[in-house]
């Protein structure tokens, strides 16, 4: 490109400070687009973030789509990295970048000609499908029994968050049964549920909750508040959490048109607006409309248990085929019942939590008059049996009985 290059051997923030101190620069052109992780909350002109050196960020291609970029590069014959001709659609570091599987030529026997070029990707929303995803739980400590544990078994555990949207739940008008069912389904595929929440039918409330949970968990499942009513704000809240706009999706609108007729056209096509640049539609023959996935957030449209069962089965099938869902050993549950008081059981249970940090150990009562139930949950039956036996040995024989 015949550009003058200045090389600064500092970390990014320090280098930027040195650059602005040495030169009278007030604005910097950037190549970010909506949907990029660094584009959250930005407009065409956006001041630098708090805590960073002051300058104006200028984003001339912020609204360009994937197709816009390739139309420009090809029409103007702009030189580009040769990896794009070998199936790469989004290039990061050598550790997290692979060819986009959607461009694979199934009929090709040659390794060099196995992938089509990047400009042939039909759905630009899947541009980042060639980035290997790092799962949060593989690199962070897990809190179990109130303790932060570095146990290897816990480190490989995947975590999910469940969010329900609905004023009706918060007012007590309806009971949220889907949350507990979804937790059980996740435990059956070996996932731990780190958080479950109910939020108001309010875009900001949804956005704040999604923003908190999407960065802490491998997957976020959200349901309720999806539809044409003014109170249905879930999709818009997800868009705001990622800092992207809502935009019409022709493919999704076509599905809605088949489902509800021409009422989904003209000024009534709000239901066909989805988060721009981050949405993937997952099709399944048993579902009337595709599932909506926005990066690591899954938007469920189910309104009852039967619909949830059907959506979940389709989701598992789709995520298995896409290689995006790791199904591990399911959790095993063992429960003991005792007439001991909470005060008598408290100290021995605390000791058990330290002795078995790889297990989830807890206690509860159905009511104040009912027996105390001690639950052991984990993935190693041997460890669970050992923990139950160790607890029984701390008391007189017959103090505990096992519940089926």
């Amino acid at each position: 490109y015949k550009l003058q290059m200045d090389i600064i051997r500092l970390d990014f923030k320090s280098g930027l400070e040195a650059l602005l101190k040495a030169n009278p620069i007030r604005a910097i052109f950037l190549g970010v687009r909506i949907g990029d992780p660094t584009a959250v909350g930005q407009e065409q002109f956006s001041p630098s973030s708090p805590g960073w050196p002051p300058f104006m960020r200028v984003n001339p291609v912020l609204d360009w789509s994937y197709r816009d970029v390739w139309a420009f590069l090809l029409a103007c014959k702009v030189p580009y990295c040769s990896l794009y001709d070998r199936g790469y659609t989004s290039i990061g570091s050598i550790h997290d970048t692979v060819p986009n599987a959607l461009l694979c030529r199934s009929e090709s026997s040659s390794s060099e000609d196995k992938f089509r070029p990047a400009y042939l990707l039909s759905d630009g929303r899947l541009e980042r499908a060639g980035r290997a995803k790092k799962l949060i739980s593989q690199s962070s400590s897990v809190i179990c029994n109130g303790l932060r544990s570095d146990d290897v078994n816990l480190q490989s555990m995947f975590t999910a968050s469940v969010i329900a949207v609905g004023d009706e739940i918060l007012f007590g008008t309806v009971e949220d049964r889907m949350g507990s069912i979804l937790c059980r389904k996740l435990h059956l595929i070996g996932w731990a549920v780190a958080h479950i929440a109910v939020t108001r039918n309010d875009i900001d409330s949804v956005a704040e909750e999604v923003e908190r949970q999407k960065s802490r968990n491998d997957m976020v499942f959200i349901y309720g508040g999806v539809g044409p009513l003014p109170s249905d704000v879930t999709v818009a809240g997800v868009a705001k959490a990622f800092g992207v706009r809502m935009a019409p999706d022709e493919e999704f609108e076509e599905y809605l048109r088949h489902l509800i007729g021409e009422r989904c056209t003209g000024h009534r096509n709000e239901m066909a607006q989805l988060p721009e640049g981050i949405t993937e539609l997952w099709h399944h023959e048993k579902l009337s409309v595709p599932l909506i996935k926005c990066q690591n957030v899954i938007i469920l449209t189910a309104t009852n248990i039967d619909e949830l069962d059907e959506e979940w089965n389709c989701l598992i099938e789709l995520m298995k085929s896409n290689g995006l869902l790791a199904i591990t050993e399911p959790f095993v549950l063992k429960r003991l019942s005792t007439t001991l008081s909470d005060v008598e059981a408290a100290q021995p249970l605390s000791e058990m939590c330290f002795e078995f940090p790889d297990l989830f150990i807890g206690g509860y009562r159905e009511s104040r008059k009912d027996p105390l139930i001690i639950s052991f949950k984990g993935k190693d039956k041997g460890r669970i049996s050992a923990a139950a036996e160790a607890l029984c040995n701390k008391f007189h024989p017959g103090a505990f009985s096992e519940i089926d």
Side-chain angles (χ1 to χ4, degrees):
Y1 295 114
K2 299 180 180 178
L3 299 175
Q4 177 184 341
M5 301 291 290
D6 290 332
I7 299 175
I8 302 174
R9 291 183 172 86
L10 296 169
D11 65 85
F12 191 79
K13 189 174 182 180
S14 300
L16 191 57
E17 290 174 344
L19 176 68
L20 297 181
K21 186 175 181 180
N23 299 277
I25 296 172
R26 299 181 61 187
I28 296 177
F29 284 84
L30 301 173
V32 298
R33 290 184 291 120
I34 287 295
D36 291 346
T38 57
V40 176
Q42 292 198 47
E43 297 293 336
Q44 274 74 18
F45 293 88
S46 292
S48 54
S49 302
W52 284 72
F55 66 94
M56 180 63 72
R57 292 180 286 197
V58 183
N59 302 312
V61 297
L62 188 67
D63 292 320
W64 282 32
S65 67
Y66 182 82
R67 285 185 179 180
D68 291 334
V69 173
W70 276 110
F72 170 78
L73 293 176
L74 297 174
C76 297
K77 296 182 174 57
V78 179
Y80 56 83
C81 177
S82 61
L83 288 176
Y84 289 114
D85 287 331
R86 292 158 52 188
Y88 293 83
T89 54
S90 177
I91 299 174
S93 78
I94 60 174
H95 304 292
D96 68 359
T97 306
V98 294
N100 195 322
L102 298 169
L103 292 172
C104 183
R105 301 178 191 264
S106 57
E107 71 284 356
S108 175
S109 58
S110 169
S111 59
E112 293 185 0
D113 194 31
K114 190 175 179 180
F115 292 91
R116 292 171 302 190
Y119 54 79
L120 293 180
L121 183 67
S122 58
D123 190 345
R125 294 171 302 184
L126 304 180
E127 172 186 359
R128 291 182 173 270
R131 292 293 190 97
K133 296 175 176 61
K134 272 190 176 180
L135 292 169
I136 296 168
S137 59
Q138 292 177 329
S139 59
S140 60
S141 296
V142 176
I143 295 178
C144 182
N145 297 322
L147 308 170
R148 186 169 294 279
S149 174
D150 293 320
D151 184 87
V152 174
N153 294 324
L154 288 177
Q155 288 305 309
S156 61
M157 192 180 297
F158 300 102
T159 64
S161 179
V162 176
I163 303 174
V165 180
D167 290 344
E168 297 80 5
I169 300 173
L170 293 172
F171 277 110
T173 308
V174 298
E175 182 182 357
D176 175 33
R177 295 180 55 213
M178 286 177 51
S180 58
I181 298 294
L182 192 53
C183 288
R184 290 176 205 163
K185 291 181 180 296
L186 285 161
H187 287 154
L188 285 174
I189 63 170
W191 282 53
V193 179
H195 182 85
I196 183 167
V198 180
T199 185
R200 295 174 48 211
N201 285 354
D202 173 77
I203 292 178
D204 288 336
S205 299
V206 173
E208 288 171 8
E209 192 62 45
V210 171
E211 188 172 9
R212 274 195 297 268
Q213 301 309 322
K214 69 183 177 67
S215 60
R216 298 176 181 175
N217 299 280
D218 299 303
M219 199 71 73
V220 176
F221 296 88
I222 187 168
Y223 58 90
V226 180
L229 300 176
S231 59
D232 294 329
V233 297
T234 296
V235 179
V238 171
K240 187 167 185 177
F242 283 96
V244 301
R245 298 180 178 87
M246 294 282 284
D249 188 287
E250 294 180 2
E251 182 184 0
F252 195 62
E253 185 171 6
E254 187 64 27
Y255 274 92
L256 294 177
R257 184 177 290 110
H258 284 296
L259 186 65
I260 61 178
E262 293 304 315
R263 288 173 292 172
C264 189
T265 61
H267 68 285
R268 294 183 178 177
N269 71 345
E270 288 85 0
M271 284 178 64
Q273 295 201 23
L274 299 175
E276 187 179 33
I278 62 170
T279 300
E280 298 177 40
L281 297 179
W282 284 7
H283 313 276
H284 195 286
E285 58 185 9
K286 293 182 180 179
L287 298 177
S288 54
V289 294
L291 289 164
I292 302 171
K293 177 178 177 292
C294 299
Q295 294 189 13
N296 66 332
V297 177
I298 303 291
I299 302 175
L300 300 171
T301 59
T303 59
N304 56 57
I305 301 302
D306 291 336
E307 291 178 0
L308 178 62
D309 286 339
E310 186 172 46
E311 274 193 28
W312 179 260
N313 292 335
C314 294
L315 177 66
I316 293 296
E317 189 176 323
L318 289 167
M319 295 188 82
K320 276 184 179 178
S321 63
N322 290 337
L324 292 177
L325 182 66
I327 296 181
T328 61
E329 287 294 320
F331 281 95
V332 179
L333 174 65
K334 190 180 188 71
R335 295 185 299 167
L336 301 179
S337 174
T338 181
T339 57
L340 293 169
S341 69
D342 292 4
V343 174
E344 291 175 293
Q347 182 59 36
L349 274 179
S350 296
E351 296 170 1
M352 296 298 301
C353 291
F354 280 98
E355 291 175 31
F356 297 87
D358 53 319
L359 302 181
F360 293 88
I361 303 174
Y364 66 94
R365 297 177 187 271
E366 296 290 343
S367 72
R368 277 292 170 191
K369 296 181 180 179
D370 286 326
L372 174 64
I373 308 298
I374 308 299
S375 64
F376 302 85
K377 180 169 279 192
K379 297 192 176 187
D380 188 326
K381 291 182 180 179
R383 291 284 291 170
I384 290 176
S385 297
E389 183 178 353
L391 179 63
C392 292
N393 290 337
K394 293 179 181 289
F395 295 90
H396 60 82
F400 293 92
S401 59
E402 187 171 345
I403 302 175
D404 294 334

